[in-house]
Amino acid sequence: MATAKVMRTAAFTGCDSPQGDIRMRARTRPAAPARQTDHGVFEQPRRRRYVGQLKTSTSTVAGRSPWMNDRVTVLRGFLADLHGLHLPPDLARIQVAGHIELLVSVLRLNRQTARQFVTDDVLREMAVDIATAVASE
């Protein structure tokens, strides 16, 4: 039995099935237009909130990962407590995300696995690195 990829290739090139036992069926009606054409030029599609998703609050931003929010809070806490620095949440988020990207590229991990390596000790070292960079400028 041929795989779906082989069957699609055979149908695209106009060839018969590799085994000759399966016939490809052509579309009987035209494909529906793309959904983007239903909206006007300047009209944006409406965003839907999921059932468990809250509206924005001061502590968290809607659509953000609770894990990432926790890591950002820990990093900002280390910077404030140990070094007296106050880093905006967006910049702290960029630092944590950059560390995850580094783990993904160097260790060839997927993102979910790389998150396990962003511990409190790692965040403490990141806070020391950030404080050292600020002090050297």
Side-chain angles (χ1 to χ4, degrees), residues 5-106:
K5 185 175 182 181
V6 171
M7 296 301 294
R8 282 193 305 271
T9 305
F12 179 74
T13 57
C15 300
D16 291 334
S17 168
Q19 279 82 17
D21 60 348
I22 300 174
R23 293 185 179 248
M24 295 298 293
R25 189 169 52 135
R27 279 185 197 203
T28 57
R29 59 187 168 98
R35 292 185 68 195
Q36 288 83 1
T37 59
D38 294 340
H39 301 288
V41 177
F42 298 107
E43 183 181 342
Q44 293 292 327
R46 206 174 92 203
R47 288 187 175 174
R48 295 182 181 160
R49 270 192 308 129
Y50 295 104
V51 175
Q53 185 179 10
L54 301 173
K55 293 183 180 178
T56 58
S57 68
T58 57
S59 61
T60 61
V61 177
R64 300 289 185 160
S65 164
W67 177 87
M68 179 65 85
N69 289 339
D70 177 57
R71 300 287 87 195
V72 166
T73 304
V74 170
L75 177 61
R76 291 180 72 210
F78 284 143
L79 282 168
D81 295 342
L82 302 176
H83 306 286
L85 296 173
H86 299 283
L87 190 67
D90 291 337
L91 292 179
R93 188 177 310 280
I94 290 170
Q95 291 294 319
V96 174
H99 186 72
I100 291 173
E101 289 293 326
L102 179 70
L103 291 173
V104 166
S105 64
V106 172

